[in-house]
Amino acid sequence: MEYQDEGRDRRITQLRKGILELAVMGVLYDERHYGYSLVRVLSESGSISLKEGTIYPILARLDRDGLVRSEWVESDQGPPRKYYTLTSSGRQLFDALSQELDVLVSLVQQKWKVSEQSEHARKKLVVRKG
Amino acid sequence: MYSYPDVVAKIASDYLERVKSQLRLVSAHEQGDFLREIESHLFEAYQQTPGEDDVARILAVLRNFGEPAEVVADRLPGAMVRSGTKHNLPLYVVGGILIALFGLPLGSAGAGVLVGLLAAVAGILVAYYAVAGSFLLVGALTMLIGLTRILLPQLFDRLVVLGYIQLGGPVGEFLDHFSPSYQGLLMILFASVFAAAGLGMLWLGRYLLRGLRFLFSLTFDWMRRFAQRVRRKLRQDNREAPQLGKVSFVKQ
């Protein structure tokens, strides 16, 4: 039975939202950004396509937790921009989280390997039977 | 607002007002800071969005940006997220007035009055649902009769002769003016009105149920706290009574 599209989309959105905070920290790791430029960088990478406004609750949360530092900078192209930089504790947390993510990703890939191996073994059995 | 055309400025400022209205519980400084940031984002996104229709451009920007509620989600203190609390406020007021009027001055008698009132309200609710159910039943039966009149006119006549369907009086006289098919259609129309009324009542009943559930929980909570207070007082009295006895025995 096919899994319903609506439920699948909701889960994909949840997965993206969960990873978005880490992605934001990753973008701010080496370079300072303001909200709009951050959205552009994230959307240019392709896989993350969320509502642009959802970046601000994340930035607010990171700011509140002391993981980013913000400052207003005047712009000659329009209104001033609020730039964000990752703090040293933000960098430490990013390193720890990305390691954790690597573990999770390898866990998921491990599952693929297992299913590939079992598929391979099944084929072998079929060959022997023949 | 910078180099926005007027109509775009109006749409953008309306959006910012909507965001602002969601931020009522946030400090003025933080509110201003956040609105400036969004304003800056909208302006730049608008400049970068291609197109000749200004309104379509700003609407596309706002669509991509998301609803104000999504944007302010983490700006509100956890306990102050307003969803739901606003709707319950009038019920809190009603509950508070009921307790103040009956519960506090009259003590347990007041509680009795409250329980009586709640029972009466529950009775009204049951009657309400009974009426809604009757409407639906009448609608379904009349629709069935109407369909019978159109599709099986002989059966309909037989049922009239046997007395299962009685269409005498002004209704019968009125229907006699039309052909059997029109009579059936009129009955179905009549049935639809009843069915719609029944369904409407069921839909509105959700609010009644919600209100009643709230009043019940409020009252029971108040009674539970009252009982706890009484129990605590009784326990205190019991603790004091044997000590007095002991003292008098020692004195003897």
Side-chain angles (χ1 to χ4, degrees), chain B residues 39-130:
Chain B
E39 195 183 338
S40 169
H41 183 116
L42 296 182
F43 181 80
E44 191 152 353
Y46 174 77
Q47 298 299 328
Q48 302 295 329
T49 304
E52 291 190 357
D53 185 347
D54 294 333
V55 175
R57 279 168 68 196
I58 188 69
L59 290 179
V61 167
L62 295 179
R63 207 169 34 247
N64 287 338
F65 197 76
E67 280 300 305
E70 291 174 299
V71 179
V72 302
D74 268 41
R75 292 275 167 171
L76 300 176
M80 291 183 179
V81 176
R82 290 186 302 128
S83 62
T85 53
K86 194 181 172 187
H87 297 95
N88 281 337
L89 192 61
L91 289 171
Y92 274 109
V93 172
V94 171
I97 290 170
L98 277 176
I99 289 176
L101 279 178
F102 299 109
L104 296 180
L106 299 176
S108 55
V113 171
L114 257 187
V115 171
L117 271 177
L118 288 175
V121 177
I124 291 171
L125 194 76
V126 170
Y128 178 87
Y129 274 103

Side-chain angles (χ1 to χ4, degrees), chain B residues 2-247:
Chain B
Y2 312 101
S3 61
Y4 277 145
D6 283 351
V7 63
V8 174
K10 175 80 177 72
I11 294 171
S13 77
D14 279 352
Y15 181 86
L16 289 170
E17 275 302 314
R18 281 172 61 204
V19 174
K20 193 177 173 183
S21 71
Q22 300 260 344
L23 289 169
R24 260 179 259 159
L25 299 169
V26 174
S27 71
H29 172 72
E30 202 182 335
Q31 206 180 91
D33 203 48
F34 188 47
L35 290 173
R36 267 175 76 198
E37 194 174 11
I38 294 181
E39 195 183 338
S40 169
H41 183 116
L42 296 182
F43 181 80
E44 191 152 353
Y46 174 77
Q47 298 299 328
Q48 302 295 329
T49 304
E52 291 190 357
D53 185 347
D54 294 333
V55 175
R57 279 168 68 196
I58 188 69
L59 290 179
V61 167
L62 295 179
R63 207 169 34 247
N64 287 338
F65 197 76
E67 280 300 305
E70 291 174 299
V71 179
V72 302
D74 268 41
R75 292 275 167 171
L76 300 176
M80 291 183 179
V81 176
R82 290 186 302 128
S83 62
T85 53
K86 194 181 172 187
H87 297 95
N88 281 337
L89 192 61
L91 289 171
Y92 274 109
V93 172
V94 171
I97 290 170
L98 277 176
I99 289 176
L101 279 178
F102 299 109
L104 296 180
L106 299 176
S108 55
V113 171
L114 257 187
V115 171
L117 271 177
L118 288 175
V121 177
I124 291 171
L125 194 76
V126 170
Y128 178 87
Y129 274 103
V131 171
S134 310
F135 275 17
L136 284 175
L137 192 66
V138 168
L141 285 175
T142 314
M143 197 166 282
L144 195 67
I145 293 170
L147 286 171
T148 313
R149 188 63 180 142
I150 296 170
L151 302 171
L152 301 163
Q154 289 91 353
L155 177 66
F156 183 87
D157 291 338
R158 181 109 185 104
L159 289 172
V160 172
V161 170
L162 289 172
Y164 290 113
I165 298 175
Q166 295 184 353
L167 284 171
V171 178
E173 281 171 23
F174 174 72
L175 287 174
D176 280 342
H177 291 97
F178 304 98
S179 68
S181 305
Y182 275 112
Q183 285 178 3
L185 279 175
L186 280 171
M187 285 177 197
I188 290 172
L189 195 71
F190 185 68
S192 305
V193 172
F194 263 93
L199 287 173
M201 282 182 78
L202 282 183
W203 184 72
L204 286 173
R206 289 184 315 163
Y207 298 104
L208 272 177
L209 260 182
R210 210 180 293 167
L212 192 68
R213 203 169 52 211
F214 172 77
L215 277 180
F216 265 107
S217 62
L218 200 70
T219 310
F220 286 130
D221 187 52
W222 174 76
M223 286 171 77
R224 187 176 53 80
R225 268 184 282 134
F226 182 73
Q228 273 175 352
R229 233 180 11 243
V230 171
R231 254 203 316 271
R232 213 175 300 136
K233 189 158 170 42
L234 284 174
R235 221 177 291 142
Q236 257 176 5
D237 290 349
N238 284 343
R239 233 178 281 140
E240 282 165 12
Q243 279 171 0
L244 286 172
K246 197 176 177 183
V247 170

Side-chain angles (χ1 to χ4, degrees), chain A residues 33-99:
Chain A
H33 279 278
Y34 57 98
Y36 183 75
S37 68
L38 196 56
V39 168
R40 288 279 71 83
V41 172
L42 287 169
S43 54
E44 273 164 17
S45 66
S47 57
I48 294 180
S49 56
L50 292 163
K51 294 278 182 193
E52 292 179 5
T54 52
I55 210 81
Y56 291 99
I58 292 170
L59 288 170
R61 203 161 49 228
L62 294 174
D63 200 5
R64 197 171 50 216
D65 295 344
L67 300 170
V68 294
R69 195 175 29 249
S70 60
E71 60 172 334
W72 281 100
V73 177
E74 287 297 329
S75 162
D76 49 2
Q77 292 163 14
R81 296 162 172 170
K82 192 176 183 183
Y83 278 86
Y84 293 89
T85 323
L86 208 62
T87 59
S88 56
S89 55
R91 281 161 191 266
Q92 281 171 11
L93 183 69
F94 177 80
D95 292 338
L97 288 178
S98 49
Q99 275 176 17

